[in-house]
Amino acid sequence: MPTATLLSFALLPALLAAPLAPSIALPGGPPVGMDYLAFDPGTGRIWVPAGNTGNVDVVDTATGQVTPLGGFPTKPSPRPGRPKMGPSSATIADGTAWIGNRGDSRLCSFDARTLTKGDCVQLPSMPDGLAYVARTRELWVTTPRDQTITIVDLAGQKRAAPQAIKLDGEPEGLAVDGARGLFYTNLEDKDQTLAIDVKTRRVVARYSPGCGADGPRGLAWSGVDRLLFVACTHGAVVLDVAHDGKPVGRLETGGGVDNLDYCAATRFLYVASGSDGKLTLAHVAAGGGLKVVATVATAKGARTAVVDGRGTAYLPDSMGGRLIVVQPPAP
């Protein structure tokens, strides 16, 4: 059984002009290399692949308890001075947490409640982000080094070899429209956003978010509004995919934005600037327009956010070895 470590933290009663937000320290650091996190609404836990530590840290959002799951392989980064590469992405699939590991290019499963380890799948290329597509019972993984989306079938009794969709650029970010069976990803090197039919596995639409030479990064999906939120390196763009991907909202922030998240319950979009060390919260109007409601000081390098069911945001501060915790403003 994994060993649980209880780490105390205080949540903000409201958004205040403070130099640092409350945080949850993670074992094995600092630093703790973090990228894609996943919130599991079924358990109230956040799964935190913790890169160089060889851990996946499972955080109970109700208590702040951190349970490290160790033993993941790591390997040196190809970039000098960077921490080792290891587990880096997570998604939840019907009560199972799947973890992508850059250390050995495998996906491994865990029971989302008991945290018991299940089977693993070897990929032909290093995984970046991953998402569960419930309609087809598949894991869709961005594998940018091969300019592909790698697909793992979870429906069969015997695990089939992963398959790939070849793209004409490097996929970055991902979102799923489960109701219509569409998978979205960006081509970072072409400043495009793609819609892929999960049944035919064909690109059915291309949008131009207008992020510029640095290209688009992360994605988030609104659901019933059919709004697609695209992270640019200096903010975010809202695309109305019900009307040919027309840009209907734009937010300018400081630089270093990577991934973003959206809370349907509050209609808040969360955009983190790693260069400025600030998190911007914007209210999303019915038509997709954005209005900034708060800006919170976080930490330099905190460039992504994941939101729980209450609208509380968790930002990876890799150099500080912690998660920064930001509650939404009172209604």
Side-chain angles (χ1 to χ4, degrees), residues 249-313:
R250 189 173 293 270
L251 175 68
E252 297 293 334
T253 68
V257 177
D258 190 17
N259 209 357
L260 74 182
D261 206 356
Y262 173 72
C263 179
T266 61
R267 299 192 64 88
F268 286 157
L269 181 68
Y270 298 72
V271 184
S273 164
S275 298
D276 287 358
K278 294 179 180 179
L279 174 68
T280 299
L281 282 74
H283 182 266
V284 181
L290 299 175
K291 180 181 179 181
V292 175
V293 295
T295 302
V296 182
T298 55
K300 294 282 188 179
R303 56 194 175 91
T304 70
V306 66
V307 182
D308 68 13
R310 301 168 297 172
T312 300

Side-chain angles (χ1 to χ4, degrees), residues 174-176 218-223 227-231 259-262 269:
L174 64 179
V176 179
L219 290 168
W221 176 246
S222 72
L227 299 174
L228 186 64
F229 305 105
V230 183
N259 209 357
L260 74 182
D261 206 356
Y262 173 72
L269 181 68

